[in-house]
Amino acid sequence: MATIILLFLLLSALSTITALQKYSNITLGSSLSPKTNLSSWLSPSGKFAFGFYPQGEDGFIVAIWFAQVPEKTVIWTYNRDDPKIPSNVTLQMTTDGRLVLQPAEGQAKAISTATDSASSASMLDSGNFVLYNSDSDVLWESFTSPTDTIVQGQRLLAGSALVSSTSRTDHSTGRFMLSMQTDGNLVQYPASDTAWDKSWYAYWSSGTYRAGDNVSVNLDKDGHLYLLNNTGFNIRNLSAAVSPSDGTIFYRMTIDVDGIFRLYSLSPRGNWSIKWSSTNDKCSPKGICGLNSYCTLMDQESVCRCLPGFDFVNQNQQMLGCGRNTTVDGCENTTMSLLENTVWEDESYTILSSTNIEDCRLMCLTDCNCQAALFSNLKCRKQRFPLRFGRRDLSNPPTALIKEVGIRKVTTTNEPKANKQGEKVLGIEILITSVVIATVAFIVLMVSGVLIYRHRVWVYHQLSDTGSIGLNEEITLRSFTYLELEKATNGFREEVGRGSFGTVFKGVISNGERIIAVKRLERVVDEGEREFRTEMRVIGRTHHKNLVRLLGYCHEGSNRLLVYEYMCNGSLENFLFKPEKYPNWDERVGIALNIARGVLYLHEECETQIIHCDIKPQNILMDEFFCAKIADFGLAKLLKPDQTRTFTGIRGTRGYVAPEWHRNLPVTVKADVYSYGIMLMEIICCRKSLDMELQEDEIVLSDWVFQCFEEGELSKLVDDQVVDKKRLERMVKVALWCIQDDPALRPHMKKVVLMLEGTIEIPVPPGPTSFLSSI
Ligand SMILES: *[C@@H]1O[C@H](CO)[C@@H](O)[C@H](O)[C@H]1NC(C)=O
Ligand SMILES: *[C@@H]1O[C@H](CO)[C@@H](O)[C@H](O)[C@H]1NC(C)=O
Ligand SMILES: *[C@@H]1O[C@H](CO)[C@@H](O)[C@H](O)[C@H]1NC(C)=O
Ligand SMILES: *[C@@H]1O[C@H](CO)[C@@H](O)[C@H](O)[C@H]1NC(C)=O
Ligand SMILES: *[C@@H]1O[C@H](CO)[C@@H](O)[C@H](O)[C@H]1NC(C)=O
Ligand SMILES: *[C@@H]1O[C@H](CO)[C@@H](O)[C@H](O)[C@H]1NC(C)=O
Ligand SMILES: *[C@@H]1O[C@H](CO)[C@@H](O)[C@H](O)[C@H]1NC(C)=O
Ligand SMILES: *[C@@H]1O[C@H](CO)[C@@H](O)[C@H](O)[C@H]1NC(C)=O
Ligand SMILES: *[C@@H]1O[C@H](CO)[C@@H](O)[C@H](O)[C@H]1NC(C)=O
């Protein structure tokens, strides 16, 4: 008993001492310095501190952390990716009311973004660091710019995101993001900068897509984590209340280094414990294992494994992915290894029907471009390295075939014994092709059930929720009657566009549920119904997220109408050439890549190759998520003979057509590559390929681009936005390759995509022939 009283006295004595050091109101002229006894300002109860937090050897960051627990948990970091701060820097609340970092010599750097000068600052007990003006209004607060954590009472507002830290001790930007989107959905993505069209890579979502544009994440004092919509309705509970809200237990929600976000409570004893987590599957965050490696669970922990024939790039940091020293480029002396039950991102350049795995194996072995193949659901998907987002999946797995060099003597590689899931990696020799093994594998595959490979499993806004066509929907075209379409479009009243084939009208079907675009073909050849249906079927079978979907058609007498999904944001042209609507740099990069993927699909991945013949911004439509989709493909064959691809008539649009159209040369997919290159320049520069109002050397965009490229003055091409110089150069180089005069010099679309993504090196392009001289 006496001891307890003594302890109590001691504790209260200690807390009075600490109380003397409280800096609840930080006045002008105060400062902090890393290596002194005054390196942080505490909140009134001493729970939180703001100031210099040690990081690495001899370095500091400016942060807010829990000061009362042994493990001083950081909840906010200032400019997390800045270099570490040396110990001779001070943090000052200047006499003129600015919060700055002052190096030993040189310019001070402002921490707050407030423009007015502050009259005091305060580290609050809520964990918020606030600057006030003389009227005690809040000028700036740390709560509005969270890093990887929100604490109880703090909100994650629409349009903001949390990004995980690199590691538990390094608080710089890590690999995963939790984004509160303005479409109402709370979504997790890999945070890497190469994932431009992030929506494909989402691995968790709250499923509250379309809940309004102002949904926020809220965390109450009782540990209740939920989403509120604009009008204050609770639209989704993530975790139920954990404790009474008497404030004895403190809560925080953090997106952890491993990509999972968790709710933690701080017990009075000073230990954090997990109260809820977004998933228990530690392999689910996409990109948890790097390129050419896959994630597998061992005792609920994630472990990365390399593809057969690959080694970790860094043995000590296995999540960085795998590589190999030998390059397999070609088809000679190669074998295929089998890797079962793994799922990968599907970046196939060709999908072929294949009756069994042996068939698929041969398809890849004999194709010098093929480096790996995924076999599932009687489809063989040929891929090139790197393979991404791999994970073991015992439920619904395709089988991966990996091409290797040379004849591997070992046919079975046993994995370490520790592996309890009995993974097997087989190396199959080509020369003694074991038909038996293949047959057995095939039977096992058949027996193991329905192998529906969920192509692109995650779409961030759950398509099924919205009632629009899901990715797996059977591709069937509906045949409409003319009367139906006349009714749907209200007598063809609202014209939304006019193209080379005819006029487009807006309409609604399914009792007003679905908005459609009806294209009335006006200049097409009067072919028989059967031919028309054949063409429709070819278009109907195309199925790609960067192509506008054909939903149905009408063929009655001389009437030919096509029914497409409606794209509410109109054409790319509406954005590119209007200064007030210019897409920002990241959007431009995303648009360029999306279109390239769509064209690639038309050229190489769909069953019947389709040459678009008229790629230009007017034929690129933008959907509600600002995702670019190609329109008007597959119609070239329907045009009247004088407009089709005869060697004399020119399809396409002046400014975008490839020189071979003018030279009576055969037209191939490379003509589309040319048009794409011209359009890519327009996307980069947000201007038309020909603009007579500019100075003479700028009139022809391709010439101007090449001139700037040669002079190393690429920044002249873009507006003042901060752009990624390297990516700009990469895009310009790709565009210059695409517009080469000689079709053979132009890259195939697959290569264009790889170059844009930065997967392969881009050689310096030769100069283009002048646009004007090629006419
Ligand atoms: C601290 O500053 C706030 C806002 O300026 C003020 O309302 C409060 O009275 C001050 N508290 C103390 C103890 O000076
Ligand atoms: C900090 O240390 C200096 C001398 O080392 C001492 O004079 C000063 O009182 C200390 N300040 C606090 C708040 O303990
Ligand atoms: C401050 O510290 C850094 C790193 O320790 C050092 O490079 C720099 O020279 C120092 N500046 C001054 C003025 O001492
Ligand atoms: C969004 O919601 C938050 C909280 O419900 C509210 O404070 C804010 O004003 C709202 N913003 C808009 C633009 O409606
Ligand atoms: C918020 O949610 C409620 C209940 O689901 C709904 O009635 C209301 O319309 C929503 N508010 C907004 C602005 O979406
Ligand atoms: C969330 O949980 C609370 C109780 O904690 C309940 O009242 C509310 O209806 C739930 N909301 C939803 C959308 O499920
Ligand atoms: C905190 O948790 C660790 C591990 O869970 C345990 O070893 C330690 O005793 C706990 N400390 C307290 C104060 O509860
Ligand atoms: C690849 O090369 C590195 C060094 O160049 C070597 O350490 C490693 O063992 C090699 N890996 C293979 C599979 O040969
Ligand atoms: C294939 O292997 C044979 C025998 O090992 C060798 O002679 C030949 O050069 C190899 N071919 C290639 C292209 O590596």
Side-chain angles (χ1 to χ4, degrees), residues 211-212 229-231 233 235:
N229 78 1
N230 211 4
T231 41
F233 280 89
I235 52 162

Side-chain angles (χ1 to χ4, degrees), residues 58 84-89 103-106:
D58 247 23
K84 303 301 161 258
I85 300 167
S87 58
N88 53 16
V89 171
E105 44 194 32

